Each structure stands twice: as C-alpha cells, then as structure tokens.
Amino acid sequence: MSCHSKAIAIIDSGVGGLSITQAIQQYLPNEKLIYLADNYYAPYGEKTADFIQQRINFIAQKFIEQGCKAIVIACNTATVIAIDQLRAQVSIPVIGVEPAIKPASEQSKNKKVGILVTQATSENERFLALIKAHQNGSEVFIQSCPGLVELIEQGQLNSSACQQLLQQYVSPLINKNIDTLVLGCTHYPFLKQQILNITGKSINLLETAKPVAMQLAKRLAKKNLLSNDCENAQIDFYSSKCTLAYQQLFRQLFNLKSTAAINLQLFDQNQKSV
Ligand code: DGL
C-alpha cells in the first residue's frame, strides 16, 4: 500500500469527534478514515491525566501497528493532557483540537468571552497557558460542565436533565455579559441549538472542526502524504463498547439516513461487547 492511501485515525472518548470527522471528510474527500469512540472509558473529562495519557498511548500504538499515516486527537481533553507526550514518542503527524480562544478574543466586541470545557480541561495547565497566550486583552470565563458528555453519549440531547445542566452552566456566563462563547469540547457542538435557545442569537458560538481539518491537510501536504485517489475514500467506525443504541446514536449524529451502513466494530478485543 502506498503511503498516500494509508488511513488517518481519528480518536475521541465518544461521539464528539464525529463533528471533526465530518469536516475532515468535506475538506479531504479522498482519505481513508478510521474513527474510534473510546466510549468504554468515557467521559475522559472526569479521568486522571495519567489514565488519559496511558489510554491515548495504547490506542495510538494500535493504530500505528495497523499502518495509519496520521492521528487526529478529536478531543480537547485528550489534546491538552496527552498530545505533547504522544508527539514525543511517534514519528507520524499527530493533530489535536484546541479551543478557539484566539478567534474568540479577536471577534468579541466587548472583550468578554466564555468557554465551556470538561472538568479535566478546566484544570489543565496547558489549557490555562493557551488562554493566557491568546486572550489578547479579553476577559475569559471558564465554565466546566460535568455530566454533559455522559448525557450526549446516552443520546439524551433533548432531555430535561440536559436542558437543566446547560442552564446551570451557561447562565453564569450570560450574567458575566459575554458576547462570545467557545465550545471547548468536541461533544458540545451537538448541543448548539440547545445552547442557542438559552443564549439567544446575540452571543456568538465558536467551534473548531474546520480549522482542525485544514491543519490536518497542511501537515499531510507538507509530508507528501495526501491521497488524491477518490477510490481510497472510506470510513470505518470503531467503538470500545458497541451497543445497538450506540450505533443508532452514531447514525443520528453523523447525519446518515437510518438505512445507511454504519457498522460499529469492537475496537479492543480484550473488552466485551455489551
Ligand atoms: N470530546 C471530548 C473533549 O473534546 C470529551 C471529553 C470527555 O469524554 O469528557 O473534551
């Protein structure tokens, strides 16, 4: 197999990275993609940094053994916690997701920016340094959102529990008079409409799917690894805890018709399918 036709592995703790995957498919339509939802261990945002680093190393190693040409960590939490050490260990390009602090502080008119993140991201030094480096005179209000990823993973996007949590997390930011809100977890774009119902249209919501796809394209082009063969286009979905309900959630969130063939495969044979 030529280097160009090798797969790109995309990793998240669950369905969050599907938003990034859609942007990658649009931007790089000739690439073979492998998506892993590590939902057996979701949410990452409530795990320790050690655990996340070890898990990301293990997964990356598996995909490198399979001959992947690049890895996308489609998860803000795993990026801030594990990307530096992973890059130091592997020779293929590793692309991560960082919250859109820079564009947010540039676009904010009143220089008040809110950011929704997981608990682990909110406490991470790399993340706090990123804010310092890019806030450019804006006040940045960090809000961690425990419980939200679990509800999305259970498909409870429109439940009253989800509505209540969002209200609890978004209201303090509205009270701070923010005009720009960064979605700093790849799961949250799936709640965009529910968030807009609380904020109204006067608050600008920012996410990062497109810049990640562009960055991936740039890195692959630089290493002469881009595929230009449309026959190569394909996507395989893996999960570390396959259930029928989870497969349905994948279809729903990936915007595929229910008849489309999304076959979720079990990632790690040491874990049981439930
Ligand atoms: N999508 C992950 C992120 O961007 C969610 C982390 C989690 O599993 O808590 O942070």
Side-chain angles (χ1 to χ4, degrees), residues 12-14 16-17 42-46 74-78 118 121 149 184-187:
D12 182 40
S13 62
Y44 281 177
E46 286 157 45
C75 172
N76 292 261
T77 310
T118 65
T121 299
V149 166
C185 164
T186 53
H187 278 71

Side-chain angles (χ1 to χ4, degrees), residues 49-59 82 85:
D50 273 358
F51 176 86
I52 296 169
Q53 287 189 355
Q54 281 173 27
R55 187 67 193 156
I56 291 295
N57 285 348
F58 172 79
I59 295 168
Q85 51 99 25

Side-chain angles (χ1 to χ4, degrees), residues 41-212:
Y41 293 106
Y44 281 177
E46 286 157 45
K47 300 277 185 301
T48 63
D50 273 358
F51 176 86
I52 296 169
Q53 287 189 355
Q54 281 173 27
R55 187 67 193 156
I56 291 295
N57 285 348
F58 172 79
I59 295 168
Q61 214 45 57
K62 287 242 165 199
F63 284 133
I64 289 170
E65 280 163 22
Q66 282 182 31
C68 286
K69 66 179 176 184
I71 293 175
V72 178
I73 301 186
C75 172
N76 292 261
T77 310
T79 298
V80 292
I81 289 172
I83 202 166
D84 290 337
Q85 51 99 25
L86 182 63
R87 280 181 176 149
Q89 291 177 50
V90 304
S91 54
I92 61 173
V94 180
I95 286 85
V97 184
E98 278 174 352
I101 306 286
K102 198 171 176 211
S105 25
E106 281 164 9
Q107 288 173 32
S108 173
K109 294 201 170 63
N110 68 0
K111 296 284 171 203
K112 288 184 195 294
V113 172
I115 174 159
L116 300 177
V117 288
T118 65
Q119 188 70 39
T121 299
S122 74
E123 293 161 359
N124 179 269
E125 277 177 21
R126 191 180 191 275
F127 166 70
L128 298 172
L130 191 82
I131 293 185
K132 252 197 187 150
H134 296 303
Q135 68 191 116
N136 196 20
S138 288
E139 260 185 289
V140 178
F141 302 97
I142 302 166
Q143 176 67 56
S144 66
C145 308
L148 220 44
V149 166
E150 285 98 316
L151 289 176
I152 298 168
E153 285 292 300
Q154 291 160 12
Q156 294 191 44
L157 286 83
N158 293 309
S159 64
S160 58
C162 188
Q163 166 75 24
Q164 265 173 27
L165 273 189
L166 279 178
Q167 195 77 48
Q168 181 186 328
Y169 297 142
V170 174
S171 298
L173 299 176
I174 296 176
N175 293 340
K176 296 282 185 199
N177 198 26
I178 61 158
D179 68 356
T180 308
L181 180 58
V182 177
L183 305 182
C185 164
T186 53
H187 278 71
Y188 302 162
F190 291 120
L191 295 175
K192 197 169 176 180
Q193 191 49 54
Q194 291 84 335
I195 295 171
L196 280 171
N197 291 344
I198 298 171
T199 59
K201 289 205 175 102
S202 58
I203 293 182
N204 186 20
L205 299 196
L206 292 183
E207 50 179 299
T208 9
K210 212 169 145 194
V212 173

